[in-house]
Amino acid sequence: MMIRLRSFSTFLRSNSDQTHPQFEHLLLQKSRLGFDKLDDAHLMFDKMLQLQPLPSVTEFSQLLTSLVTMKQYSAALSVFRDMRVLSIPVDIITFSIAINCCCRLNRVDYAFSLLGEIMKRGFLPNVVTYTTLVRGLIIQDNAVEAESLFKKLVRLNVIQPNVVTFNTIIDGLCKKGYTCVAVALFKYMQRKGCKPDTVTYNIVIHSLCKDRLVDYALGLFDEMSESGVAPDIRTYNLLIQGLCNINQWEDVRRFLREMEIRNFCPNVHTFSILVDAYGKEGKIKDAEDVIELMIQRGQYPNVVTYNSLMDGYCLRGEVDEAFSVLATMTGKGILPDIISYNILINGFCKKLKVDRAVDLFQQMPLQGLAPTIETYCTILQGFFHTGRHIEAHKFYKAMLNKGIELDIFTCNTMLDGLFKNRRATEALSFFHLMQCNGLSPHIHTYSILIDGLCKNGNLEKARTLFQSLPCKGLRPDVKAYTMMIRGLCQNGLLFEANELFQEMKANDCLPDSGVYNTLIRGCLYHKNYNEAVVLIDEMRGRGFSADVSTTSLLLGLLESKEQDHDLLALCKRFLP
C-alpha cells in the first residue's frame, strides 16, 4: 500500500520549500541515527515524492538505511515496494538494503527472489549482497547451508572476502551457537590465505569459552601469539571468564599475572568477572576483596559489578545482605537496572518472601524501570511455590491487563505452577486456551504436561501425549524422556520404563545423570536390585554419579535392616 502524507514534523512545517541540499544533509544525518518517529520517516518519503526533480537513488537509499537503523524492516520494505511501483530508479545498494530487511524478518526466500531480480536487471551483486544472504541463512538456523553457500561463492570467485567479511559470517555463526561450523570456517579462512585478526580470534575464543571448550580456546590463544596477532584486553577477559566458569583458578591467576606483564591493566569488566565468579562459588568475602582492590586501583565498580555481588549473596540465601548492596549502590550514585531488581525479586521468591518481592516489583516503575517477562514469571513462580495459586491467577490477569504480550515462557510458568498446586484440570484448560491464542507449545511445554499428568495420576493421558509428539513434529528431549520414565517408574512399570530408556539411546538422545538416577530409584523402590547394579555401573561408566535423592533412598533401605542378599551386594558395590 502506498504511504500517504501524515502530519508534518516541525522541520518539514517550517521548511516547506526545502532545497535538495537541505534534504541531503537531513537524510545523511538520519541514515546514521534514524528518525525520532516512524511517522517522520513516512513524511520524509512523501515530501521527497513531491520534489522536482526527484531526489537521487542515493537519497532514497539513505531513507531506507534510516529505517533499518530504527529496526523498522517492514516499513523499509514497504517504501522499497512503493519506489518500484512509482518507477523510482533503484540500484544494487537499494536491493541489498531490501535483501537485508527480508533476512532480518526471517524471509530468506524473499531475499533470494530479490537476488534473482537483481541479476535480471543486469546489476552485479557485490560482497555485501552475498554476505547479507549468508547471514540471513544463519539467522534462520540454516548454518550448514550458509557455510556451503559462502564457500561456493569463494570457490567460484564470485566474491573475494576479506577479514571483515569472514568476521561477519563467523560472528553470526557463533551468536547462533554454531561454534563447530564457525571454527571450520575459521580454518578455511586461514587455508585461503586470509589472516585472522584480533577480532576474529576474540569471536571464536568467546564462543569456545561459552561452550566450555576452554582448552581449545587456550590453544587458539597460543596460536594467536605464534601468528604475530596481538591479544587485547578483551582477549584476556574472555579467557579469564572461561577459566572462571570451569573453576580453573590457578590459570586465572596466571592470566592476571600475564596481563600485568604485558601492561594490560585489569579493567572494570575484568574485576566484575572475578566478582561474579567468586559470588557463584559462594566466596562472598573474596568477591568483596576484589571490589576493594579495584577501588584501590582506580577502577570503580559499576552496576554490573554490584549485580554480581547481589547475585552471589542470593545464591547463598542471604537476601537481606543482597538488599543492603542495593542501598550501597544507590548511595554511591549508581542506579540499579532491571537485572538488579530481577536478582533481588528472584532471591526473595526463593526464600518464600513473595510479599517482599512484590514490594520491589511495585517500586520498579518509580525508578523508571519496566518489569520484564522474566520479572513477571519469577513472581508467578513465587506465588505458586508458596501455594498461593489464587494470587498467581490475579497477578497473571493484571499482567495481561497491562498489555504484556503473552509468550511461551509465561505459559510454561503457569502450567508448571498449576500442576504443582494440584490444579490439573485448570492446567489443561489453560493449555487449550494457550493453543487457541496461537501460541505453539514446544518440547519443554509438553515435558511439563507429561510430568504434571503423571504426578496427578493421569499416566495414560501422559503416555498418549508422549507418543503423539512425533506427529506434532517434535522430538522428545532428555527432559521429556525423563518425565515419562519417572511416571512409569512411579507406577511400577519398570519394564516399560527400561524399554523407553533403550529407545531414548537408540534415537541418539544421550541420557544424563537425571535419567539414570530416576531409573535407579525406580529399581530401588520396587526392589529390582540387580537391575539397579547394572544401571549404576553404566552411569559411572559415563562419568555420572548418584544424586542426593538416590543416595538417601539407598541409605534408608540399609537402615531398614532388610536382609536381602541382592540389596547387600548392591550396597557393597555402591558404598565400598
Side-chain angles (χ1 to χ4, degrees):
M1 180 182 292
M2 197 78 68
I3 299 176
R4 297 299 177 193
L5 189 64
R6 303 180 184 183
S7 60
F8 286 101
S9 67
T10 303
F11 178 85
L12 294 177
R13 273 202 309 270
S14 60
N15 295 274
S16 56
D17 298 316
Q18 290 93 344
T19 61
H20 274 132
Q22 288 174 303
F23 266 92
E24 288 171 9
H25 176 74
L26 180 61
L27 282 168
L28 182 61
Q29 181 188 52
K30 295 303 181 183
S31 67
R32 295 169 183 161
L33 305 174
F35 288 87
D36 295 331
K37 296 182 294 185
L38 182 57
D39 280 354
D40 290 345
H42 290 161
L43 278 167
M44 179 61 78
F45 180 59
D46 286 335
K47 194 67 179 177
M48 290 169 75
L49 295 179
Q50 296 171 18
L51 289 176
Q52 292 297 328
L54 280 175
S56 68
V57 64
T58 300
E59 290 165 302
F60 279 107
S61 294
Q62 286 174 337
L63 176 64
L64 292 175
T65 302
S66 71
L67 290 166
V68 172
T69 302
M70 298 164 67
K71 302 189 187 313
Q72 295 287 347
Y73 307 118
S74 295
L77 284 175
S78 179
V79 170
F80 176 72
R81 283 193 294 268
D82 286 350
M83 287 172 63
R84 295 168 72 191
V85 169
L86 294 168
S87 299
I88 295 171
V90 292
D91 60 10
I92 187 62
I93 295 173
T94 323
F95 268 108
S96 294
I97 294 169
I99 284 173
N100 179 40
C101 290
C102 290
C103 291
R104 296 288 183 181
L105 294 168
N106 288 322
R107 294 311 307 258
V108 181
D109 49 344
Y110 287 172
F112 274 98
S113 69
L114 285 176
L115 177 67
E117 193 168 334
I118 286 174
M119 293 175 173
K120 283 180 188 176
R121 286 178 175 244
F123 295 129
L124 188 64
N126 56 28
V127 67
V128 174
T129 315
Y130 284 117
T131 302
T132 302
L133 283 167
V134 172
R135 204 166 52 217
L137 288 168
I138 295 168
I139 291 169
Q140 282 201 321
D141 288 325
N142 292 322
V144 176
E145 189 180 341
E147 183 198 24
S148 175
L149 173 63
F150 185 70
K151 287 182 176 178
K152 185 176 180 180
L153 292 168
V154 176
R155 188 171 64 251
L156 297 175
N157 289 320
V158 176
I159 59 172
Q160 294 179 333
N162 57 20
V163 65
V164 175
T165 313
F166 273 107
N167 286 352
T168 301
I169 305 301
I170 291 170
D171 186 50
L173 289 166
C174 288
K175 282 178 177 172
K176 291 293 286 185
Y178 297 109
T179 305
C180 292
V181 182
V183 170
L185 191 59
F186 174 80
K187 292 177 179 175
Y188 175 79
M189 171 187 184
Q190 292 174 303
R191 289 198 302 273
K192 284 293 176 182
C194 185
K195 186 178 179 181
D197 60 8
T198 305
V199 174
T200 324
Y201 278 103
N202 284 349
I203 291 167
V204 180
I205 285 172
H206 184 208
S207 196
L208 288 167
C209 287
K210 276 201 303 183
D211 289 352
R212 303 180 77 84
L213 300 170
V214 184
D215 286 342
Y216 290 100
L218 291 171
L220 265 190
F221 178 76
D222 292 338
E223 177 192 304
M224 190 177 181
S225 302
E226 291 165 8
S227 302
V229 180
D232 58 13
I233 185 71
R234 176 167 166 74
T235 318
Y236 281 101
N237 284 342
L238 290 170
L239 286 166
I240 288 168
Q241 177 78 75
L243 291 164
C244 284
N245 289 343
I246 58 174
N247 299 323
Q248 290 192 14
W249 296 103
E250 188 53 47
D251 286 325
V252 169
R253 285 186 279 272
R254 176 170 65 85
F255 270 95
L256 288 169
R257 287 194 297 270
E258 188 174 320
M259 283 177 70
E260 300 278 0
I261 292 169
R262 294 199 180 200
N263 292 321
F264 285 121
C265 293
N267 58 17
V268 173
H269 185 53
T270 317
F271 285 115
S272 295
I273 289 168
L274 295 172
V275 171
D276 183 60
Y278 281 128
K280 283 183 169 60
E281 285 285 295
K283 300 176 179 177
I284 292 296
K285 179 64 169 62
D286 290 325
E288 290 177 332
D289 287 346
V290 169
I291 291 176
E292 187 63 35
L293 176 63
M294 68 187 290
I295 292 171
Q296 289 173 9
R297 293 197 173 192
Q299 298 284 349
Y300 293 98
N302 59 17
V303 66
V304 176
T305 318
Y306 283 115
N307 284 349
S308 297
L309 185 61
M310 281 196 295
D311 194 40
Y313 272 120
C314 286
L315 289 171
R316 287 164 57 106
E318 298 172 356
V319 193
D320 290 328
E321 287 79 357
F323 187 73
S324 69
V325 173
L326 187 72
T328 302
M329 282 173 61
T330 53
K332 292 179 180 291
I334 300 170
L335 295 176
D337 59 11
I338 292 287
I339 295 172
S340 314
Y341 278 93
N342 283 350
I343 287 169
L344 286 171
I345 286 169
N346 185 49
F348 280 119
C349 284
K350 284 188 174 175
K351 292 293 286 184
L352 309 183
K353 297 179 178 180
V354 186
D355 293 327
R356 291 283 301 277
V358 172
D359 287 342
L360 280 171
F361 171 82
Q362 292 170 342
Q363 286 176 26
M364 291 176 73
L366 303 177
Q367 300 295 326
L369 299 171
T372 62
I373 283 291
E374 182 186 352
T375 322
Y376 282 101
C377 289
T378 301
I379 291 182
L380 279 173
Q381 286 171 336
F383 279 130
F384 280 124
H385 193 54
T386 51
R388 297 160 66 176
H389 60 88
I390 294 173
E391 287 168 275
H393 266 297
K394 288 179 181 176
F395 188 79
Y396 172 73
K397 287 179 181 176
M399 170 183 166
L400 295 182
N401 290 336
K402 287 183 180 178
I404 303 299
E405 189 174 343
L406 196 62
D407 68 355
I408 195 68
F409 183 58
T410 317
C411 289
N412 288 347
T413 303
M414 285 294 292
L415 277 175
D416 188 53
L418 288 168
F419 273 123
K420 284 179 177 173
N421 279 263
R422 300 285 181 181
R423 320 295 295 186
T425 304
E426 289 178 45
L428 291 172
S429 297
F430 182 82
F431 175 68
H432 293 309
L433 179 64
M434 162 186 160
Q435 290 178 302
C436 292
N437 286 336
L439 279 170
S440 299
H442 53 46
I443 192 61
H444 181 54
T445 314
Y446 284 105
S447 297
I448 292 169
L449 281 167
I450 290 163
D451 185 43
L453 289 168
C454 288
K455 287 179 177 175
N456 284 273
N458 292 313
L459 178 65
E460 287 308 313
K461 282 186 181 178
R463 186 194 275 121
T464 302
L465 189 61
F466 182 84
Q467 291 169 348
S468 72
L469 290 176
C471 300
K472 300 178 190 296
L474 294 170
R475 183 181 177 184
D477 61 5
V478 174
K479 186 165 185 178
Y481 273 111
T482 304
M483 298 300 101
M484 194 66 245
I485 287 170
R486 180 183 296 161
L488 294 168
C489 287
Q490 287 169 346
N491 284 270
L493 301 171
L494 294 183
F495 180 77
E496 191 177 340
N498 189 58
E499 278 192 328
L500 193 58
F501 180 63
Q502 300 307 323
E503 175 195 303
M504 174 186 183
K505 292 190 284 187
N507 288 339
D508 294 324
C509 184
L510 295 177
D512 62 7
S513 174
V515 183
Y516 278 108
N517 278 284
T518 297
L519 268 172
I520 291 166
R521 285 197 297 274
C523 291
L524 293 177
Y525 272 124
H526 298 284
K527 301 186 179 182
N528 192 341
Y529 301 129
N530 288 330
E531 183 64 27
V533 170
V534 173
L535 286 166
I536 287 170
D537 287 344
E538 185 179 326
M539 177 175 73
R540 285 177 169 172
R542 289 181 179 267
F544 302 127
S545 58
D547 61 20
V548 174
S549 298
T550 306
T551 305
S552 297
L553 177 58
L554 190 55
L555 291 172
L557 289 171
L558 276 176
E559 289 173 1
S560 69
K561 298 181 181 179
E562 183 181 343
Q563 296 302 309
D564 186 295
H565 179 269
D566 292 333
L567 174 60
L568 295 174
L570 168 62
C571 292
K572 187 175 180 181
R573 191 181 194 90
F574 185 72
L575 302 166

